[in-house]
Amino acid sequence: MTSSTPKFAAIKEFIFSQIESGNWPEHSRVPSENELCEQFAVSRMTARRALQELTEQGVLYRTQGVGSFVASAKSQSALLEIRNIADEIQARGHFHSAELVQLTELPCPTIVAGALGLQRNEPVFFSLIVHYDNQQPLQLEARFVNPKQIPAYLQQDFVQQTPHEYLSAVAPLTEADHVVEAILPDEFTCKYLKINKTEPCLRLTRRTFSREGAVSFAYLTSAGSRYRLGGHLNINTSSKK
């Protein structure tokens, strides 16, 4: 860093170097605005600018009231809308059904803790559901839910309604982030989707927010031969970037 380097740029370079060196892996919490102010002897506005620009670039993500975290390094694909899996199936004229495999409280894993603004091993709600399209397994939904936001989650009947439907009703969605990646399934996924281990799958990792903060963190895994992602985007040509 030279003496002519703007201070906010120096902070960004420092954060980049920590991520690239592996010192701060995915979903690690980065220093707060106050901590960066003290470390670099800068104003809070300068620290905020550095964190904001890294967030806009997809290097970091922020959880309201908790802090900034290292985002996934894999390429991200923006999905144009968030749809209920039951509605998707019914729109094709097919019948949706669900099998509830697990609905419980667990000690919060590290990655989930960072995503939901919880502490590691703090209680988190968990549901595991298989969604069927005309009695064929279509999607395995593993969802972690913030108990502070959705205290009645474990009392719901997720055979009669999907978690998406329930969460949309009690904590309306204000924002979300997602990562889509191609994977090969593990034995657990093969068992519930009734596929073999060479069947490529699509995995959508999705975090949703309400006005009060992060609500859920979900892994939605589908057999590649049975599911596809798509959407339609209207472009306003009169708008300016």
PDB file of all heavy atoms in Angstrom, residues 33-66:
ATOM      1  N   GLU A  33     -17.430  -2.281  11.594  1.00  0.00           N
ATOM      2  CA  GLU A  33     -17.040  -0.910  11.266  1.00  0.00           C
ATOM      3  C   GLU A  33     -16.185  -0.315  12.385  1.00  0.00           C
ATOM      4  O   GLU A  33     -15.148   0.311  12.127  1.00  0.00           O
ATOM      5  CB  GLU A  33     -18.272  -0.044  11.027  1.00  0.00           C
ATOM      6  CG  GLU A  33     -19.048  -0.396   9.783  1.00  0.00           C
ATOM      7  CD  GLU A  33     -20.304   0.456   9.624  1.00  0.00           C
ATOM      8  OE1 GLU A  33     -20.480   1.398  10.435  1.00  0.00           O
ATOM      9  OE2 GLU A  33     -21.091   0.192   8.699  1.00  0.00           O
ATOM     10  N   ASN A  34     -16.611  -0.502  13.626  1.00  0.00           N
ATOM     11  CA  ASN A  34     -15.863   0.055  14.757  1.00  0.00           C
ATOM     12  C   ASN A  34     -14.469  -0.551  14.869  1.00  0.00           C
ATOM     13  O   ASN A  34     -13.484   0.155  15.147  1.00  0.00           O
ATOM     14  CB  ASN A  34     -16.631  -0.176  16.059  1.00  0.00           C
ATOM     15  CG  ASN A  34     -17.852   0.715  16.171  1.00  0.00           C
ATOM     16  OD1 ASN A  34     -17.935   1.752  15.505  1.00  0.00           O
ATOM     17  ND2 ASN A  34     -18.806   0.322  16.996  1.00  0.00           N
ATOM     18  N   GLU A  35     -14.382  -1.859  14.638  1.00  0.00           N
ATOM     19  CA  GLU A  35     -13.076  -2.521  14.713  1.00  0.00           C
ATOM     20  C   GLU A  35     -12.148  -2.048  13.607  1.00  0.00           C
ATOM     21  O   GLU A  35     -10.947  -1.845  13.833  1.00  0.00           O
ATOM     22  CB  GLU A  35     -13.276  -4.041  14.640  1.00  0.00           C
ATOM     23  CG  GLU A  35     -13.930  -4.630  15.881  1.00  0.00           C
ATOM     24  CD  GLU A  35     -14.406  -6.060  15.693  1.00  0.00           C
ATOM     25  OE1 GLU A  35     -14.662  -6.469  14.536  1.00  0.00           O
ATOM     26  OE2 GLU A  35     -14.541  -6.762  16.707  1.00  0.00           O
ATOM     27  N   LEU A  36     -12.689  -1.830  12.400  1.00  0.00           N
ATOM     28  CA  LEU A  36     -11.878  -1.320  11.296  1.00  0.00           C
ATOM     29  C   LEU A  36     -11.458   0.124  11.539  1.00  0.00           C
ATOM     30  O   LEU A  36     -10.335   0.522  11.188  1.00  0.00           O
ATOM     31  CB  LEU A  36     -12.649  -1.440   9.981  1.00  0.00           C
ATOM     32  CG  LEU A  36     -12.874  -2.869   9.467  1.00  0.00           C
ATOM     33  CD1 LEU A  36     -13.838  -2.854   8.279  1.00  0.00           C
ATOM     34  CD2 LEU A  36     -11.561  -3.522   9.075  1.00  0.00           C
ATOM     35  N   CYS A  37     -12.356   0.911  12.148  1.00  0.00           N
ATOM     36  CA  CYS A  37     -12.008   2.295  12.492  1.00  0.00           C
ATOM     37  C   CYS A  37     -10.789   2.332  13.396  1.00  0.00           C
ATOM     38  O   CYS A  37      -9.860   3.137  13.197  1.00  0.00           O
ATOM     39  CB  CYS A  37     -13.179   2.984  13.191  1.00  0.00           C
ATOM     40  SG  CYS A  37     -14.584   3.338  12.132  1.00  0.00           S
ATOM     41  N   GLU A  38     -10.785   1.461  14.387  1.00  0.00           N
ATOM     42  CA  GLU A  38      -9.673   1.437  15.345  1.00  0.00           C
ATOM     43  C   GLU A  38      -8.408   0.899  14.701  1.00  0.00           C
ATOM     44  O   GLU A  38      -7.308   1.443  14.893  1.00  0.00           O
ATOM     45  CB  GLU A  38     -10.073   0.563  16.543  1.00  0.00           C
ATOM     46  CG  GLU A  38      -9.008   0.517  17.631  1.00  0.00           C
ATOM     47  CD  GLU A  38      -9.469  -0.250  18.853  1.00  0.00           C
ATOM     48  OE1 GLU A  38     -10.690  -0.529  18.963  1.00  0.00           O
ATOM     49  OE2 GLU A  38      -8.619  -0.578  19.692  1.00  0.00           O
ATOM     50  N   GLN A  39      -8.534  -0.161  13.904  1.00  0.00           N
ATOM     51  CA  GLN A  39      -7.363  -0.794  13.306  1.00  0.00           C
ATOM     52  C   GLN A  39      -6.685   0.111  12.286  1.00  0.00           C
ATOM     53  O   GLN A  39      -5.448   0.165  12.219  1.00  0.00           O
ATOM     54  CB  GLN A  39      -7.770  -2.111  12.642  1.00  0.00           C
ATOM     55  CG  GLN A  39      -6.606  -2.864  11.994  1.00  0.00           C
ATOM     56  CD  GLN A  39      -7.038  -4.216  11.437  1.00  0.00           C
ATOM     57  OE1 GLN A  39      -8.155  -4.676  11.689  1.00  0.00           O
ATOM     58  NE2 GLN A  39      -6.167  -4.844  10.679  1.00  0.00           N
ATOM     59  N   PHE A  40      -7.475   0.865  11.486  1.00  0.00           N
ATOM     60  CA  PHE A  40      -6.911   1.666  10.406  1.00  0.00           C
ATOM     61  C   PHE A  40      -6.919   3.167  10.700  1.00  0.00           C
ATOM     62  O   PHE A  40      -6.528   3.953   9.851  1.00  0.00           O
ATOM     63  CB  PHE A  40      -7.670   1.385   9.097  1.00  0.00           C
ATOM     64  CG  PHE A  40      -7.387   0.031   8.507  1.00  0.00           C
ATOM     65  CD1 PHE A  40      -8.128  -1.073   8.879  1.00  0.00           C
ATOM     66  CD2 PHE A  40      -6.347  -0.144   7.604  1.00  0.00           C
ATOM     67  CE1 PHE A  40      -7.870  -2.326   8.355  1.00  0.00           C
ATOM     68  CE2 PHE A  40      -6.074  -1.390   7.065  1.00  0.00           C
ATOM     69  CZ  PHE A  40      -6.836  -2.487   7.447  1.00  0.00           C
ATOM     70  N   ALA A  41      -7.385   3.543  11.891  1.00  0.00           N
ATOM     71  CA  ALA A  41      -7.436   4.946  12.282  1.00  0.00           C
ATOM     72  C   ALA A  41      -8.205   5.781  11.254  1.00  0.00           C
ATOM     73  O   ALA A  41      -7.718   6.797  10.731  1.00  0.00           O
ATOM     74  CB  ALA A  41      -6.026   5.514  12.468  1.00  0.00           C
ATOM     75  N   VAL A  42      -9.420   5.326  10.943  1.00  0.00           N
ATOM     76  CA  VAL A  42     -10.260   6.007   9.959  1.00  0.00           C
ATOM     77  C   VAL A  42     -11.621   6.312  10.579  1.00  0.00           C
ATOM     78  O   VAL A  42     -11.961   5.831  11.664  1.00  0.00           O
ATOM     79  CB  VAL A  42     -10.462   5.133   8.694  1.00  0.00           C
ATOM     80  CG1 VAL A  42      -9.139   4.889   8.003  1.00  0.00           C
ATOM     81  CG2 VAL A  42     -11.155   3.813   9.042  1.00  0.00           C
ATOM     82  N   SER A  43     -12.400   7.102   9.853  1.00  0.00           N
ATOM     83  CA  SER A  43     -13.756   7.405  10.310  1.00  0.00           C
ATOM     84  C   SER A  43     -14.669   6.218  10.056  1.00  0.00           C
ATOM     85  O   SER A  43     -14.376   5.342   9.242  1.00  0.00           O
ATOM     86  CB  SER A  43     -14.301   8.631   9.571  1.00  0.00           C
ATOM     87  OG  SER A  43     -14.512   8.317   8.205  1.00  0.00           O
ATOM     88  N   ARG A  44     -15.795   6.237  10.742  1.00  0.00           N
ATOM     89  CA  ARG A  44     -16.765   5.154  10.540  1.00  0.00           C
ATOM     90  C   ARG A  44     -17.315   5.186   9.116  1.00  0.00           C
ATOM     91  O   ARG A  44     -17.607   4.139   8.536  1.00  0.00           O
ATOM     92  CB  ARG A  44     -17.897   5.289  11.555  1.00  0.00           C
ATOM     93  CG  ARG A  44     -18.835   4.099  11.564  1.00  0.00           C
ATOM     94  CD  ARG A  44     -19.693   4.053  12.799  1.00  0.00           C
ATOM     95  NE  ARG A  44     -20.515   2.868  12.824  1.00  0.00           N
ATOM     96  CZ  ARG A  44     -21.291   2.518  13.835  1.00  0.00           C
ATOM     97  NH1 ARG A  44     -21.322   3.283  14.921  1.00  0.00           N
ATOM     98  NH2 ARG A  44     -22.021   1.419  13.785  1.00  0.00           N
ATOM     99  N   MET A  45     -17.446   6.355   8.537  1.00  0.00           N
ATOM    100  CA  MET A  45     -17.931   6.478   7.173  1.00  0.00           C
ATOM    101  C   MET A  45     -16.985   5.770   6.194  1.00  0.00           C
ATOM    102  O   MET A  45     -17.428   5.104   5.250  1.00  0.00           O
ATOM    103  CB  MET A  45     -18.080   7.956   6.785  1.00  0.00           C
ATOM    104  CG  MET A  45     -18.651   8.171   5.384  1.00  0.00           C
ATOM    105  SD  MET A  45     -18.831   9.925   4.992  1.00  0.00           S
ATOM    106  CE  MET A  45     -20.032  10.415   6.232  1.00  0.00           C
ATOM    107  N   THR A  46     -15.687   5.905   6.431  1.00  0.00           N
ATOM    108  CA  THR A  46     -14.704   5.262   5.561  1.00  0.00           C
ATOM    109  C   THR A  46     -14.787   3.744   5.685  1.00  0.00           C
ATOM    110  O   THR A  46     -14.763   3.019   4.680  1.00  0.00           O
ATOM    111  CB  THR A  46     -13.289   5.738   5.929  1.00  0.00           C
ATOM    112  OG1 THR A  46     -13.198   7.144   5.717  1.00  0.00           O
ATOM    113  CG2 THR A  46     -12.238   5.045   5.076  1.00  0.00           C
ATOM    114  N   ALA A  47     -14.890   3.253   6.902  1.00  0.00           N
ATOM    115  CA  ALA A  47     -15.002   1.807   7.115  1.00  0.00           C
ATOM    116  C   ALA A  47     -16.286   1.273   6.488  1.00  0.00           C
ATOM    117  O   ALA A  47     -16.294   0.206   5.860  1.00  0.00           O
ATOM    118  CB  ALA A  47     -14.970   1.496   8.605  1.00  0.00           C
ATOM    119  N   ARG A  48     -17.375   2.033   6.650  1.00  0.00           N
ATOM    120  CA  ARG A  48     -18.658   1.610   6.092  1.00  0.00           C
ATOM    121  C   ARG A  48     -18.583   1.538   4.572  1.00  0.00           C
ATOM    122  O   ARG A  48     -19.136   0.612   3.960  1.00  0.00           O
ATOM    123  CB  ARG A  48     -19.761   2.570   6.520  1.00  0.00           C
ATOM    124  CG  ARG A  48     -21.148   2.159   6.021  1.00  0.00           C
ATOM    125  CD  ARG A  48     -22.235   3.121   6.473  1.00  0.00           C
ATOM    126  NE  ARG A  48     -22.327   3.149   7.926  1.00  0.00           N
ATOM    127  CZ  ARG A  48     -22.198   4.237   8.668  1.00  0.00           C
ATOM    128  NH1 ARG A  48     -21.949   5.403   8.084  1.00  0.00           N
ATOM    129  NH2 ARG A  48     -22.306   4.187   9.973  1.00  0.00           N
ATOM    130  N   ARG A  49     -17.903   2.500   3.947  1.00  0.00           N
ATOM    131  CA  ARG A  49     -17.784   2.496   2.483  1.00  0.00           C
ATOM    132  C   ARG A  49     -17.059   1.238   2.008  1.00  0.00           C
ATOM    133  O   ARG A  49     -17.474   0.611   1.022  1.00  0.00           O
ATOM    134  CB  ARG A  49     -17.041   3.749   2.018  1.00  0.00           C
ATOM    135  CG  ARG A  49     -16.815   3.767   0.495  1.00  0.00           C
ATOM    136  CD  ARG A  49     -16.126   5.028   0.031  1.00  0.00           C
ATOM    137  NE  ARG A  49     -15.867   4.986  -1.389  1.00  0.00           N
ATOM    138  CZ  ARG A  49     -15.250   5.958  -2.078  1.00  0.00           C
ATOM    139  NH1 ARG A  49     -14.845   7.065  -1.455  1.00  0.00           N
ATOM    140  NH2 ARG A  49     -15.050   5.834  -3.377  1.00  0.00           N
ATOM    141  N   ALA A  50     -15.989   0.863   2.690  1.00  0.00           N
ATOM    142  CA  ALA A  50     -15.230  -0.331   2.291  1.00  0.00           C
ATOM    143  C   ALA A  50     -16.099  -1.586   2.379  1.00  0.00           C
ATOM    144  O   ALA A  50     -16.140  -2.396   1.445  1.00  0.00           O
ATOM    145  CB  ALA A  50     -13.995  -0.482   3.170  1.00  0.00           C
ATOM    146  N   LEU A  51     -16.820  -1.742   3.481  1.00  0.00           N
ATOM    147  CA  LEU A  51     -17.669  -2.916   3.652  1.00  0.00           C
ATOM    148  C   LEU A  51     -18.821  -2.913   2.651  1.00  0.00           C
ATOM    149  O   LEU A  51     -19.177  -3.959   2.099  1.00  0.00           O
ATOM    150  CB  LEU A  51     -18.214  -2.966   5.084  1.00  0.00           C
ATOM    151  CG  LEU A  51     -17.178  -3.214   6.180  1.00  0.00           C
ATOM    152  CD1 LEU A  51     -17.834  -3.120   7.551  1.00  0.00           C
ATOM    153  CD2 LEU A  51     -16.501  -4.573   6.005  1.00  0.00           C
ATOM    154  N   GLN A  52     -19.393  -1.739   2.413  1.00  0.00           N
ATOM    155  CA  GLN A  52     -20.510  -1.642   1.478  1.00  0.00           C
ATOM    156  C   GLN A  52     -20.087  -2.001   0.061  1.00  0.00           C
ATOM    157  O   GLN A  52     -20.790  -2.737  -0.645  1.00  0.00           O
ATOM    158  CB  GLN A  52     -21.110  -0.238   1.512  1.00  0.00           C
ATOM    159  CG  GLN A  52     -22.320  -0.048   0.595  1.00  0.00           C
ATOM    160  CD  GLN A  52     -23.486  -0.937   0.994  1.00  0.00           C
ATOM    161  OE1 GLN A  52     -23.704  -1.184   2.169  1.00  0.00           O
ATOM    162  NE2 GLN A  52     -24.222  -1.420   0.009  1.00  0.00           N
ATOM    163  N   GLU A  53     -18.937  -1.510  -0.380  1.00  0.00           N
ATOM    164  CA  GLU A  53     -18.476  -1.805  -1.738  1.00  0.00           C
ATOM    165  C   GLU A  53     -18.163  -3.289  -1.897  1.00  0.00           C
ATOM    166  O   GLU A  53     -18.460  -3.886  -2.943  1.00  0.00           O
ATOM    167  CB  GLU A  53     -17.254  -0.949  -2.079  1.00  0.00           C
ATOM    168  CG  GLU A  53     -17.588   0.523  -2.263  1.00  0.00           C
ATOM    169  CD  GLU A  53     -16.462   1.320  -2.878  1.00  0.00           C
ATOM    170  OE1 GLU A  53     -15.420   0.718  -3.251  1.00  0.00           O
ATOM    171  OE2 GLU A  53     -16.613   2.555  -3.003  1.00  0.00           O
ATOM    172  N   LEU A  54     -17.579  -3.905  -0.882  1.00  0.00           N
ATOM    173  CA  LEU A  54     -17.296  -5.341  -0.958  1.00  0.00           C
ATOM    174  C   LEU A  54     -18.591  -6.146  -0.967  1.00  0.00           C
ATOM    175  O   LEU A  54     -18.666  -7.204  -1.610  1.00  0.00           O
ATOM    176  CB  LEU A  54     -16.408  -5.766   0.213  1.00  0.00           C
ATOM    177  CG  LEU A  54     -14.958  -5.276   0.153  1.00  0.00           C
ATOM    178  CD1 LEU A  54     -14.217  -5.636   1.429  1.00  0.00           C
ATOM    179  CD2 LEU A  54     -14.242  -5.855  -1.063  1.00  0.00           C
ATOM    180  N   THR A  55     -19.597  -5.660  -0.276  1.00  0.00           N
ATOM    181  CA  THR A  55     -20.902  -6.336  -0.294  1.00  0.00           C
ATOM    182  C   THR A  55     -21.531  -6.229  -1.676  1.00  0.00           C
ATOM    183  O   THR A  55     -22.054  -7.212  -2.216  1.00  0.00           O
ATOM    184  CB  THR A  55     -21.838  -5.721   0.762  1.00  0.00           C
ATOM    185  OG1 THR A  55     -21.244  -5.863   2.061  1.00  0.00           O
ATOM    186  CG2 THR A  55     -23.197  -6.411   0.756  1.00  0.00           C
ATOM    187  N   GLU A  56     -21.479  -5.040  -2.274  1.00  0.00           N
ATOM    188  CA  GLU A  56     -22.044  -4.838  -3.604  1.00  0.00           C
ATOM    189  C   GLU A  56     -21.319  -5.675  -4.657  1.00  0.00           C
ATOM    190  O   GLU A  56     -21.916  -6.084  -5.657  1.00  0.00           O
ATOM    191  CB  GLU A  56     -21.981  -3.356  -3.980  1.00  0.00           C
ATOM    192  CG  GLU A  56     -22.923  -2.488  -3.148  1.00  0.00           C
ATOM    193  CD  GLU A  56     -22.711  -0.996  -3.376  1.00  0.00           C
ATOM    194  OE1 GLU A  56     -21.745  -0.644  -4.091  1.00  0.00           O
ATOM    195  OE2 GLU A  56     -23.516  -0.207  -2.860  1.00  0.00           O
ATOM    196  N   GLN A  57     -20.023  -5.950  -4.431  1.00  0.00           N
ATOM    197  CA  GLN A  57     -19.232  -6.756  -5.354  1.00  0.00           C
ATOM    198  C   GLN A  57     -19.415  -8.252  -5.129  1.00  0.00           C
ATOM    199  O   GLN A  57     -18.872  -9.069  -5.875  1.00  0.00           O
ATOM    200  CB  GLN A  57     -17.752  -6.389  -5.219  1.00  0.00           C
ATOM    201  CG  GLN A  57     -17.434  -4.981  -5.683  1.00  0.00           C
ATOM    202  CD  GLN A  57     -16.053  -4.505  -5.226  1.00  0.00           C
ATOM    203  OE1 GLN A  57     -15.251  -5.286  -4.713  1.00  0.00           O
ATOM    204  NE2 GLN A  57     -15.776  -3.232  -5.418  1.00  0.00           N
ATOM    205  N   GLY A  58     -20.177  -8.628  -4.108  1.00  0.00           N
ATOM    206  CA  GLY A  58     -20.421 -10.039  -3.839  1.00  0.00           C
ATOM    207  C   GLY A  58     -19.326 -10.728  -3.052  1.00  0.00           C
ATOM    208  O   GLY A  58     -19.345 -11.951  -2.886  1.00  0.00           O
ATOM    209  N   VAL A  59     -18.371  -9.950  -2.535  1.00  0.00           N
ATOM    210  CA  VAL A  59     -17.290 -10.531  -1.739  1.00  0.00           C
ATOM    211  C   VAL A  59     -17.773 -10.818  -0.320  1.00  0.00           C
ATOM    212  O   VAL A  59     -17.394 -11.814   0.299  1.00  0.00           O
ATOM    213  CB  VAL A  59     -16.072  -9.576  -1.705  1.00  0.00           C
ATOM    214  CG1 VAL A  59     -14.956 -10.136  -0.818  1.00  0.00           C
ATOM    215  CG2 VAL A  59     -15.556  -9.339  -3.118  1.00  0.00           C
ATOM    216  N   LEU A  60     -18.619  -9.939   0.196  1.00  0.00           N
ATOM    217  CA  LEU A  60     -19.179 -10.086   1.539  1.00  0.00           C
ATOM    218  C   LEU A  60     -20.699 -10.113   1.460  1.00  0.00           C
ATOM    219  O   LEU A  60     -21.283  -9.714   0.463  1.00  0.00           O
ATOM    220  CB  LEU A  60     -18.752  -8.916   2.443  1.00  0.00           C
ATOM    221  CG  LEU A  60     -17.264  -8.625   2.608  1.00  0.00           C
ATOM    222  CD1 LEU A  60     -17.073  -7.389   3.497  1.00  0.00           C
ATOM    223  CD2 LEU A  60     -16.527  -9.821   3.197  1.00  0.00           C
ATOM    224  N   TYR A  61     -21.326 -10.585   2.524  1.00  0.00           N
ATOM    225  CA  TYR A  61     -22.765 -10.383   2.708  1.00  0.00           C
ATOM    226  C   TYR A  61     -22.978  -9.901   4.127  1.00  0.00           C
ATOM    227  O   TYR A  61     -22.172 -10.157   5.011  1.00  0.00           O
ATOM    228  CB  TYR A  61     -23.570 -11.656   2.416  1.00  0.00           C
ATOM    229  CG  TYR A  61     -23.323 -12.810   3.352  1.00  0.00           C
ATOM    230  CD1 TYR A  61     -24.021 -12.939   4.563  1.00  0.00           C
ATOM    231  CD2 TYR A  61     -22.417 -13.820   3.025  1.00  0.00           C
ATOM    232  CE1 TYR A  61     -23.809 -14.012   5.406  1.00  0.00           C
ATOM    233  CE2 TYR A  61     -22.204 -14.904   3.864  1.00  0.00           C
ATOM    234  CZ  TYR A  61     -22.900 -14.998   5.056  1.00  0.00           C
ATOM    235  OH  TYR A  61     -22.693 -16.059   5.896  1.00  0.00           O
ATOM    236  N   ARG A  62     -24.046  -9.160   4.340  1.00  0.00           N
ATOM    237  CA  ARG A  62     -24.292  -8.551   5.645  1.00  0.00           C
ATOM    238  C   ARG A  62     -25.578  -9.087   6.250  1.00  0.00           C
ATOM    239  O   ARG A  62     -26.578  -9.272   5.558  1.00  0.00           O
ATOM    240  CB  ARG A  62     -24.355  -7.027   5.522  1.00  0.00           C
ATOM    241  CG  ARG A  62     -23.164  -6.422   4.790  1.00  0.00           C
ATOM    242  CD  ARG A  62     -23.101  -4.913   4.908  1.00  0.00           C
ATOM    243  NE  ARG A  62     -22.561  -4.503   6.199  1.00  0.00           N
ATOM    244  CZ  ARG A  62     -22.237  -3.250   6.510  1.00  0.00           C
ATOM    245  NH1 ARG A  62     -22.424  -2.292   5.621  1.00  0.00           N
ATOM    246  NH2 ARG A  62     -21.742  -2.941   7.683  1.00  0.00           N
ATOM    247  N   THR A  63     -25.552  -9.331   7.535  1.00  0.00           N
ATOM    248  CA  THR A  63     -26.736  -9.723   8.293  1.00  0.00           C
ATOM    249  C   THR A  63     -27.073  -8.582   9.228  1.00  0.00           C
ATOM    250  O   THR A  63     -26.241  -8.186  10.056  1.00  0.00           O
ATOM    251  CB  THR A  63     -26.469 -11.013   9.104  1.00  0.00           C
ATOM    252  OG1 THR A  63     -26.182 -12.080   8.197  1.00  0.00           O
ATOM    253  CG2 THR A  63     -27.694 -11.379   9.942  1.00  0.00           C
ATOM    254  N   GLN A  64     -28.269  -8.044   9.087  1.00  0.00           N
ATOM    255  CA  GLN A  64     -28.672  -6.867   9.843  1.00  0.00           C
ATOM    256  C   GLN A  64     -28.525  -7.089  11.344  1.00  0.00           C
ATOM    257  O   GLN A  64     -28.997  -8.074  11.897  1.00  0.00           O
ATOM    258  CB  GLN A  64     -30.130  -6.518   9.518  1.00  0.00           C
ATOM    259  CG  GLN A  64     -30.624  -5.249  10.179  1.00  0.00           C
ATOM    260  CD  GLN A  64     -32.051  -4.925   9.774  1.00  0.00           C
ATOM    261  OE1 GLN A  64     -32.658  -5.635   8.995  1.00  0.00           O
ATOM    262  NE2 GLN A  64     -32.570  -3.843  10.311  1.00  0.00           N
ATOM    263  N   GLY A  65     -27.839  -6.167  11.994  1.00  0.00           N
ATOM    264  CA  GLY A  65     -27.671  -6.225  13.431  1.00  0.00           C
ATOM    265  C   GLY A  65     -26.622  -7.200  13.904  1.00  0.00           C
ATOM    266  O   GLY A  65     -26.388  -7.330  15.111  1.00  0.00           O
ATOM    267  N   VAL A  66     -25.975  -7.905  12.963  1.00  0.00           N
ATOM    268  CA  VAL A  66     -24.984  -8.921  13.351  1.00  0.00           C
ATOM    269  C   VAL A  66     -23.597  -8.575  12.814  1.00  0.00           C
ATOM    270  O   VAL A  66     -22.624  -8.540  13.552  1.00  0.00           O
ATOM    271  CB  VAL A  66     -25.401 -10.317  12.856  1.00  0.00           C
ATOM    272  CG1 VAL A  66     -24.350 -11.360  13.254  1.00  0.00           C
ATOM    273  CG2 VAL A  66     -26.759 -10.687  13.438  1.00  0.00           C
TER     274      VAL A  66
END
